[in-house]
Amino acid sequence: MMIFIKNEEVEVEVGKTLGEVFCKLKYDNSLIGAIVDGNLKDLFHVVQEGEKVDPVFTDSDKGLGLIRHTAAHVLAEAVQSIYPETKVTIGPVIDDGFYYDFYSKRNFTEDDLVLFEKKMSEIINKKIPIIKKVISKDDALNHFNSMGESFKEELINDLPQNVDISLYYQDEWSDLCKGPHAPNTSYIKSFKLLSVAGSYWRGDENRESLQRIYGTAFFSNKDLKKHLALLEEAKKRDHRKLGKELNLFSITDEIGPGLILWHPNGAIIRRIIEDYWRKEHDESGYSLIFTPHIAKADLWETSGHTEFYSENMFSQMDIDSNKYQTKPMNCPFHIMIYKSELRSYKDLPVKFAEIGTVYRYERSGVLHGLFRARGFTQDDAHIFCTLDQIEEEVEKVINLTTKFLNTFGFKDYEIFVSTKPAKYVGSDSEWDQATKALKNSLVNKSLDFSIDEGGGAFYGPKIDLKIKDVLGRSWQCSTVQVDFNLPKRFDLNYISRNNDRLQPVMIHRAIFGSFERFFGILIEHYGGAFPFWLAPVQVKILTVSDEQFDYCDLLSETFKKSKIRVEFDKRNEKLGLKIREAAISKVPYVLTIGKAEVENKTVSVRKYGGDQLGELKVSDFVDIVNSEKMEGLS
C-alpha cells in the first residue's frame, strides 16, 4: 500500500508500524514520532493506506511533548516503587512540562521529590523500551482491578464497551494511556521535579483529595537550566507576591476566596486603565452602558447559560417570589438594550461597551490570585451588525486591540482563527462568510495568524490573541467571537432596505479579558516596576530632618499642580531605611531633600534602578518627568 512521507509517495507493507517504516528508510534515533494526518503519533502507530506522514524529531516542540509525556510515566513508576501503596490517576503534558496526580495517605515533601528524581534517573538510565499493548475493556478492568487501581477502573468504566484500551509498559510497570510516547526512557535527557500541590479527582472538590507533582523535561541541561532560571524570575514577578509587597490588592478569607479588594495603589492603576478605555471607546463609536449585577433566572434560561453553564453560576436567590442569579456574563443585558427599540439597517452597527463586573463559581482548586477569580470586571463590548459588516467591524476591533496592547507594552503576540466545529448553529454559508471576514480583517492588517481547525464555539468562529510578556510567556487576553446563536435565541431583528425583518449578527469582543487578569499580567510583565505614566506613586520625597518639611510641602503642591502623583514620607525614620523602602516599592523617582537642597531650591534625584541624576532645579526635574508622562496616557 502507499502512504505519503513529507508529501512523497512511499510503498509500505500492510500492518507495519511507523517505527518499522522509518527504520527501513534508515532514519536515525533523532526521530521520535510523526504527525499523521494532522495528529501526533508515536512509533507504535500502524500505518494505513493513503496517510500523510511528517516525521517528528527530538529537537522539535512536538518531540518535546512526547518526551514529557514519557517523563510523567517514569515519575509515576518512581513514586509507586518507593511508596507502593500509592494509587495513580492521570499525568498529562502541560505547557512547559507535565504533572501527575497521586492518591496517597502520605503527604509528599520536598525530600520526597529528591527521592523520586533519583529513582527516575535509575529508570531512565536503563533505557527501558516503552511498549504499547491494546486489550479489551474487560481485560483492562481485570488488569487494574488486580492492581487495586480504582481510579483507572473508573476511567475505563466511562469508556464504551467495545472500545480497545491501550496500555503503555515500562518493564513490568504499566499505565492506562492513549499515548503517544517516546520509544524508550533514555530519550529523557534532562528533567526536574518542581513542586507538589493539592488537587481533586476529576477536579471535583467533593471527590478524593490528590497530590499533584509538577515536573519538566528538556533535550539538554542547558535548556533545563534556562527554564529553571526563567521560573525563578517568574517567582520574583508573581503578582500575588508583588501585590502584597506593593500594597496593590488583597484577597482575604473574611471577604471570601476569589474576591478582590483593590487597594489605593492598585485602584490608581485601574483608574488609569479605565479612563483610557472609556476615552478610546468613546472615540471609536461605542455607546457606553451600565447593567445590573443580577437578573431573573429566566434570562439565563433564554440565553442558554442555565443549560450549558450552570455549574459555573452561583446559586439562585428568591426575591419577591422570583428566582434571581448573579450574572456570569454581560451579553444578555446588552441584548435587552438592543431589543428596547426598533432597529433599522441604517442604525447598524450598534456598538455597546461596558466595564461590567461578573460572578462565576470557580472551584477553590483553580482560583489563582487575579488570574482566576470569582468576581471580576470584563472590558466587554458587543457589536450588532449585518453579515456584510463583519469584516469592517472586526478590522476596527483589531485596530483598537493592537493600539491598547502596544500602549501597555505588549508588542509581541500570536493570533489564532478558530473555525467551524462538528456541532454548530447557523448555516454553512454564514459560517463561511464570517470566517472569511475574520481572516480578511487580519490579512488587511498584515498580521500573521494560525488556523485552529474546528476550534470555534458552536455559535460562531472567533479570533484569539495571545500576548507575550517580557519573559516570553503567552497570555490569552483579547478575543473576537462571531455569534449566530444569541440573536436567534432572543429573536433579535432589524428592518432591512426591503422592509424585511432580518436577524443581525452579534460580535462579542474583549481586549483585556478582565481588568483583574490584565492587571496581574501587567504586574508580572513589569515586575511591579511600572513605567512612569502607570506607576501609582511617581515621585517620593524624603527628608534628612524635619527642618525640610515646609520646603517639601511646597514641592508636593508644585508636583500635584503638574499632575504628578507624589508621596511625601514624613515618618521619623532614618533616611537610609526610607531610601531602601522606596526602592522596594519601585517608585520611579525618589527625591532626597537636605539643607543644601532647601538653600539652593533644588532636588537630589535618584531614579529607580540606582541611577543618580544628582542635584537638579525643580523646573528641570518637572520637565524630565513630564516628558516621561508623554510616553504613556497623559
Side-chain angles (χ1 to χ4, degrees):
M1 67 178 183
M2 304 300 293
I3 64 172
F4 297 87
I5 298 180
K6 294 194 294 187
N7 293 323
E8 292 187 7
E9 267 192 331
V10 176
E11 186 175 356
V12 300
E13 295 179 37
V14 175
K16 293 296 183 180
T17 65
L18 282 173
E20 291 170 321
V21 171
F22 285 127
C23 183
K24 186 175 181 180
L25 294 173
K26 301 189 183 307
Y27 278 79
D28 63 27
N29 61 6
S30 66
L31 180 93
I32 192 172
I35 302 295
V36 180
D37 289 344
N39 299 309
L40 182 62
K41 301 290 185 180
D42 55 32
L43 300 182
F44 296 106
H45 173 72
V46 178
V47 295
Q48 303 295 321
E49 175 72 39
E51 286 183 331
K52 296 179 180 179
V53 178
D54 286 301
V56 170
F57 297 95
T58 53
D59 60 352
S60 66
D61 289 341
K62 297 292 187 182
L64 189 55
L66 292 173
I67 289 170
R68 288 172 173 169
H69 198 171
T70 303
H73 279 215
V74 173
L75 165 63
E77 181 183 355
V79 171
Q80 288 195 310
S81 66
I82 294 173
Y83 300 120
E85 76 286 353
T86 302
K87 294 183 179 182
V88 294
T89 61
I90 59 171
V93 176
I94 56 174
D95 289 345
D96 297 328
F98 60 89
Y99 72 77
Y100 212 112
D101 283 348
F102 300 93
Y103 180 78
S104 175
K105 293 181 180 179
R106 179 186 179 88
N107 290 323
F108 297 148
T109 65
E110 294 294 324
D111 290 338
D112 286 319
L113 296 189
V114 174
L115 291 176
F116 299 154
E117 283 185 347
K118 183 178 179 181
K119 190 64 179 180
M120 288 178 69
S121 293
E122 293 176 11
I123 297 169
I124 291 167
N125 291 336
K126 289 179 181 178
K127 299 183 179 181
I128 300 172
I130 308 299
I131 305 297
K132 181 180 179 180
K133 294 184 180 179
V134 178
I135 61 178
S136 69
K137 181 177 179 179
D138 288 340
D139 287 343
L141 285 171
N142 291 334
H143 176 78
F144 286 104
N145 177 266
S146 68
M147 299 165 62
E149 294 287 7
S150 54
F151 295 98
K152 298 295 182 181
E153 288 183 77
E154 183 176 327
L155 292 174
I156 296 168
N157 277 321
D158 288 345
L159 298 174
Q161 182 59 42
N162 295 326
V163 70
D164 287 332
I165 307 292
S166 60
L167 307 184
Y168 280 80
Y169 280 78
Q170 293 152 202
D171 278 345
E172 297 300 317
W173 187 89
S174 63
D175 197 6
L176 172 72
C177 185
K178 65 179 182 180
H181 282 278
N184 65 65
T185 60
S186 71
Y187 278 78
I188 305 168
K189 302 298 183 184
S190 191
F191 74 94
K192 178 70 177 175
L193 299 184
L194 302 172
S195 62
V196 182
S199 63
Y200 294 103
W201 173 233
R202 294 191 154 181
D204 186 344
E205 59 195 27
N206 297 313
R207 295 295 303 272
E208 295 87 343
S209 294
L210 306 175
Q211 296 180 76
R212 176 171 296 176
I213 297 178
Y214 286 97
T216 192
F218 285 89
F219 299 119
S220 68
N221 282 324
K222 181 181 177 181
D223 289 339
L224 177 60
K225 288 178 180 178
K226 182 178 177 181
H227 180 70
L228 295 178
L230 186 68
L231 291 181
E232 284 302 311
E233 181 61 27
K235 285 181 182 179
K236 296 175 186 176
R237 292 169 178 263
D238 190 309
H239 74 280
R240 295 165 297 181
K241 171 179 173 288
L242 291 175
K244 183 176 182 179
E245 290 177 0
L246 303 180
N247 198 20
L248 299 172
F249 71 93
S250 62
I251 302 170
T252 70
D253 289 337
E254 291 82 1
I255 300 296
L259 301 172
I260 315 300
L261 294 174
W262 290 75
H263 293 202
N265 282 347
I268 289 171
I269 298 175
R270 174 165 172 166
R271 189 189 70 220
I272 294 168
I273 299 172
E274 286 190 4
D275 288 348
Y276 176 67
W277 188 93
R278 291 187 178 96
K279 170 181 170 292
E280 291 296 326
H281 281 77
D282 272 335
E283 294 176 358
S284 298
Y286 288 82
S287 298
L288 304 189
I289 60 175
F290 299 91
T291 61
H293 291 241
I294 64 172
K296 285 184 176 180
D298 292 348
L299 184 72
W300 310 114
E301 293 279 354
T302 303
S303 68
H305 286 94
T306 303
E307 180 180 358
F308 298 108
Y309 203 72
S310 60
E311 66 178 20
N312 291 104
M313 296 173 67
F314 282 102
S315 301
Q316 296 179 357
M317 61 189 88
D318 291 313
I319 303 176
D320 296 336
S321 74
N322 288 306
K323 297 288 186 182
Y324 283 76
Q325 279 182 287
T326 54
K327 63 176 177 179
M329 297 180 186
N330 299 302
C331 329
F333 295 87
H334 295 197
I335 288 171
M336 298 312 294
I337 295 176
Y338 178 90
K339 285 191 71 172
S340 66
E341 58 184 90
L342 186 64
R343 309 283 178 176
S344 160
Y345 72 95
K346 297 178 182 179
D347 301 319
L348 301 185
V350 172
K351 301 194 281 190
F352 296 138
E354 177 184 17
I355 296 175
T357 301
V358 298
Y359 304 90
R360 298 179 187 174
Y361 177 41
E362 301 284 4
R363 274 39 181 188
S364 58
V366 300
L367 294 174
H368 184 76
L370 298 173
F371 291 159
R372 199 77 177 263
R374 287 176 174 165
F376 54 92
T377 305
Q378 293 181 312
D379 66 314
D380 220 350
H382 295 92
I383 301 169
F384 301 87
C385 64
T386 68
L387 202 58
D388 292 335
Q389 291 173 327
I390 292 176
E391 182 175 329
E392 180 181 357
E393 291 308 312
V394 170
E395 189 169 343
K396 290 178 182 178
V397 171
I398 297 300
N399 288 338
L400 189 61
T401 299
T402 53
K403 181 179 182 180
F404 267 77
L405 297 179
N406 287 337
T407 296
F408 287 96
F410 300 103
K411 303 183 187 300
D412 189 11
Y413 29 78
E414 297 175 298
I415 303 175
F416 300 87
V417 176
S418 299
T419 61
K420 184 172 60 182
K423 294 183 179 180
Y424 58 93
V425 298
S427 68
D428 288 337
S429 62
E430 287 175 329
W431 271 86
D432 291 344
Q433 188 170 345
T435 304
K436 183 179 179 181
L438 295 184
K439 292 177 181 177
N440 286 345
S441 67
L442 297 170
V443 170
N444 293 341
K445 290 289 295 176
S446 299
L447 292 171
D448 294 329
F449 60 91
S450 301
I451 301 296
D452 179 12
E453 292 290 352
F458 75 93
Y459 51 77
K462 63 176 181 173
I463 293 173
D464 286 324
L465 194 150
K466 295 182 178 181
I467 60 176
K468 288 192 175 182
D469 67 11
V470 71
L471 298 183
R473 298 174 299 177
S474 292
W475 303 92
Q476 172 65 57
C477 285
S478 310
T479 186
V480 187
Q481 299 180 328
V482 177
D483 188 350
F484 302 116
N485 179 53
L486 286 181
K488 184 176 181 180
R489 278 182 171 268
F490 282 92
D491 192 26
L492 300 188
N493 56 65
Y494 66 94
I495 305 301
S496 73
R497 291 178 183 272
N498 299 323
N499 214 32
D500 296 323
R501 286 183 177 267
L502 301 180
Q503 180 178 297
V505 175
M506 185 176 180
I507 299 174
H508 306 251
R509 59 108 284 216
I511 295 173
F512 300 136
S514 81
F515 284 93
E516 285 77 5
R517 190 166 186 272
F518 187 70
F519 184 38
I521 294 170
L522 278 177
I523 294 170
E524 298 202 2
H525 179 62
Y526 288 113
F530 299 106
F532 182 83
W533 60 269
L534 196 56
V537 178
Q538 296 171 317
V539 176
K540 181 166 282 192
I541 301 174
L542 310 178
T543 60
V544 174
S545 69
D546 295 357
E547 294 177 2
Q548 292 88 45
F549 274 17
D550 289 343
Y551 177 63
C552 291
D553 283 334
L554 290 174
L555 284 177
S556 294
E557 291 304 313
T558 299
F559 296 147
K560 288 176 182 177
K561 287 178 182 178
S562 295
K563 296 185 178 179
I564 298 168
R565 293 185 291 276
V566 60
E567 186 176 280
F568 179 11
D569 188 344
K570 294 185 177 182
R571 294 178 301 156
N572 186 24
E573 297 287 354
K574 292 182 178 180
L575 180 61
L577 173 66
K578 291 196 282 188
I579 290 174
R580 287 194 297 274
E581 289 183 347
I584 291 171
S585 62
K586 305 180 190 296
V587 177
Y589 289 100
V590 176
L591 308 185
T592 304
I593 308 300
K595 184 178 179 180
E597 286 77 17
V598 174
E599 290 175 352
N600 298 330
K601 304 301 181 186
T602 57
V603 291
S604 287
V605 183
R606 180 193 301 264
K607 194 171 184 178
Y608 177 74
D611 291 344
Q612 298 277 3
L613 302 188
E615 193 172 345
L616 300 174
K617 291 180 180 179
V618 175
S619 59
D620 289 343
F621 174 69
V622 172
D623 288 343
I624 289 173
V625 297
N626 278 338
S627 67
E628 288 203 46
K629 282 200 301 183
M630 294 303 292
E631 295 175 8
L633 310 179
S634 58

